[in-house]
Amino acid sequence: MPFPPPPRTLLGPRRRSLLASAAGAALLVGCSADADDSGTTGGSESAAERARARAAADSNTLLQHYDAVLVAHPTLADRLDPLRAEVVRHAAAFGGSSSTPSATATASPSASTSATAVPATPSDALAELASAERGLADRRAKALLDLPGELARLLASVAAAGAAHAYLLTEGAK
């Protein structure tokens, strides 16, 4: 007697698979560095510092994007505040500003927030924010290949978190 077909066919990767693969990529990068890696690679300390400063600036720019969306669409606060808090922690981990208040706590948009154009509909704003997260995660994943151990591990972890944020922003409403 033949076995019945499975009750449903999976059409793509599941959320757990995506998050597990992103975390696995971060672990693999962490395992590939030498155990005695001090964070520098023979004279490339300035390159590492430039990469750290760039990562902090990128996180701060992404934070401004979150703030602009929250000012334009305050109804998204419950959904975006946890992700925004992660971006604040990422900026702090790279040495960036970590004391930025939530945009929903401010009465009017700041000068840096108002400079970012936000789509008129919440769904379009979420899609644009997801695209920004995805693009930054991709750039960080490429950049970590040239960095020393600890900084590469940090960048890989933050890139994986950014990919998860992009997924949650696009698939969370489904």
Side-chain angles (χ1 to χ4, degrees), residues 59-83:
S59 290
N60 285 330
T61 299
L62 184 61
L63 183 60
Q64 290 174 0
H65 198 120
Y66 269 91
D67 288 345
V69 170
L70 284 166
V71 167
H73 304 288
T75 58
L76 295 175
D78 288 343
R79 186 168 178 187
L80 295 184
D81 281 346
L83 301 177

Side-chain angles (χ1 to χ4, degrees), residues 104-122:
T104 56
T106 61
S108 63
S110 66
S112 63
T113 303
S114 62
T116 305
V118 178
T121 66

